[in-house]
Amino acid sequence: MPACLLCQSQIQIKLTLPWLLSWQPMRRPVVCDRCWQRFESIKRLHACPGCGRAQDQPTQCLDCARWPTLAGFYNEALFRYNEAMQTYFHQYKFSGDYQLRQVFATVFQQAVRQRIAHTAAIVVTIPVTPATMQTRGFNQVSGWIPTIETAAVLTTQATTKLVPQSKKDRHARLLTPQPFKLTTPTDITGQSILIVDDIYTTGRTIRHAASLLLENGAKSVTGLTLAR
């Protein structure tokens, strides 16, 4: 029996009659039901239409009301950034446990494919600095979408982060200057773009990326994050 990647307990695999009759290969689960239930999914009918924050009504949240309109940009988030998600990111992103990419790979890839099927958008991941790539060894977002073609449109202006975003308070995050630039040569004129990132906190990072893409000719830009 496979072991849960999060708690290492043995996962009981339940064989169902529909699966037996489908003749499809078995997908081995990587997370047990108990661990998976600790993550809280966000339903779009109960989320802010601007940033994806979970709330009772699909109305604009106070955070989004403070932002100027950005040419139709909006973000969707799949899960709440609760305690379970915080622990996951500590292990995956900050401790560099690359095998944990498998926890959300299936659900994140499905979400990306659903969105690009309707918009024919090109997928752009938020890049990490060369120093982060050297230290961690991977881009955490790319780890979730290995089978999806992405466009290397953005790169970081700095080679290293003097202060990681995770160490900044809200005020400091909002004052962060544009951290990205376009790779060269890049022509995104008339393109619809889906930016994928890990966490939407204040929205400063993904909005910097969206504004840069729109300023350089993108037709439309939307965002998708794992957590909010």
Side-chain angles (χ1 to χ4, degrees):
M1 290 185 291
C4 173
L5 291 177
L6 299 178
C7 70
Q8 286 71 56
S9 64
Q10 297 297 308
I11 300 175
Q12 299 288 339
I13 299 177
K14 299 177 181 179
L15 302 181
T16 64
L17 182 59
W19 174 80
L20 291 172
L21 296 176
S22 70
W23 294 95
Q24 296 297 314
M26 177 181 290
R27 290 184 177 180
R28 290 185 174 274
V30 296
V31 180
C32 67
D33 289 342
R34 182 177 179 181
C35 285
W36 186 254
Q37 289 168 5
R38 294 176 62 208
F39 299 110
E40 300 175 70
S41 63
I42 297 176
K43 306 301 181 185
R44 195 171 184 188
L45 292 177
H46 299 281
C48 170
C51 67
R53 178 201 292 272
Q55 49 190 22
D56 293 334
Q57 299 294 330
T59 55
Q60 187 182 55
C61 70
L62 293 178
D63 283 353
C64 286
R66 298 190 187 107
W67 285 111
T69 302
L70 188 58
F73 172 80
Y74 65 89
N75 182 74
E76 293 180 80
L78 301 184
F79 295 90
R80 288 176 181 258
Y81 189 67
N82 61 6
E83 184 179 353
M85 189 64 75
Q86 186 175 3
T87 299
Y88 168 77
F89 272 107
H90 177 76
Q91 295 175 306
Y92 174 52
K93 182 176 177 179
F94 301 114
S95 296
D97 190 347
Y98 189 55
Q99 70 171 344
L100 293 183
R101 71 193 186 282
Q102 301 174 62
V103 174
F104 290 106
T106 298
V107 67
F108 202 68
Q109 286 181 107
Q110 287 176 345
V112 172
R113 291 190 188 283
Q114 287 172 358
R115 283 151 183 80
I116 62 178
H118 294 295
T119 62
I122 62 174
V123 180
V124 174
T125 58
I126 293 292
V128 298
T129 63
T132 298
M133 183 62 77
Q134 184 174 8
T135 302
R136 186 191 300 151
F138 60 93
N139 178 316
Q140 69 277 6
V141 179
S142 298
W144 295 322
I145 52 173
T147 65
I148 292 177
E149 182 179 356
T150 60
V153 170
L154 298 174
T155 187
T156 58
Q157 297 205 50
T159 57
T160 186
K161 283 186 179 179
L162 296 178
V163 181
Q165 286 290 93
S166 60
K167 301 297 183 183
K168 296 179 181 179
D169 60 20
R170 176 181 175 80
H171 181 68
R173 287 173 184 262
L174 292 174
L175 293 177
T176 302
Q178 175 62 265
F180 307 117
K181 60 183 178 181
L182 294 185
T183 56
T184 52
T186 296
D187 183 8
I188 55 173
T189 303
Q191 296 278 8
S192 296
I193 297 175
L194 175 68
I195 302 175
V196 289
D197 199 10
D198 53 3
I199 308 169
Y200 185 113
T201 306
T202 63
R204 178 69 283 178
T205 298
I206 199 168
R207 283 175 171 270
H208 266 319
S211 63
L212 180 62
L213 295 170
L214 288 166
E215 289 166 6
N216 283 274
K219 177 183 176 182
S220 66
V221 181
T222 56
L224 176 68
T225 57
L226 181 69
R228 170 70 170 102

